[in-house]
Amino acid sequence: MAYVEGVAAAVPNANKEAYRDFALRSGEIFKEYGLLSLVECWGDDVPAGELTSFPMAVKLKEGETVVFSWMIWPDKASRDAGWAKIMEDPRMDALGDMPFDGKRMIFGGFVPIVEL
């Protein structure tokens, strides 16, 4: 069964195109190491909550938008092996700095339990 990796981050609005470019270029590298698909989504209807919310989770600041993305890997072993190679690939360093604050990014790996 596939393995899903989810990410939420706060990206400065001024960096939207830089983020898109970074995702496209890094995603191509990821695909070389087993990634099946990548979806990057720019927040459109992401309400602030009173107890929990995406904006609260990423400590959203004025002038930023929540980005939500997910990656599909064949399985967890493929994801783990892929990430090990990705982190050693010098092309990742050549991409430069991430166009957002990585300290406020949240991420995790998930095993699907329903797929329609």
Side-chain angles (χ1 to χ4, degrees):
M1 183 179 279
Y3 194 75
V4 179
E5 197 163 7
V7 177
V11 179
N13 296 333
N15 290 355
K16 183 177 182 179
E17 286 307 312
Y19 180 87
R20 185 178 180 280
D21 183 60
F22 186 89
L24 283 168
R25 292 187 299 139
S26 61
E28 289 301 319
I29 296 169
F30 284 33
K31 287 178 75 174
E32 289 181 30
Y33 295 117
L35 179 72
L36 297 176
S37 67
L38 167 67
V39 178
E40 295 280 353
C41 304
W42 191 260
D44 177 59
D45 184 13
V46 187
E50 292 182 25
L51 184 59
T52 64
S53 68
F54 278 108
M56 292 170 74
V58 298
K59 299 187 184 303
L60 192 70
K61 297 177 183 176
E62 188 168 332
E64 295 179 329
T65 296
V66 175
V67 170
F68 178 68
S69 63
W70 65 92
M71 295 175 269
I72 307 292
W73 296 88
D75 51 48
K76 186 176 182 189
S78 297
R79 180 273 221 135
D80 292 348
W83 267 109
K85 293 174 184 172
I86 289 163
M87 297 309 290
E88 294 177 5
D89 192 312
R91 294 175 295 171
M92 291 301 293
D93 288 334
L95 292 175
D97 293 334
M98 295 184 299
F100 62 95
D101 181 358
K103 292 177 183 166
R104 292 186 287 140
M105 175 176 65
I106 59 173
F107 57 90
F110 301 86
V111 175
I113 59 170
V114 174
E115 196 169 336
L116 300 173

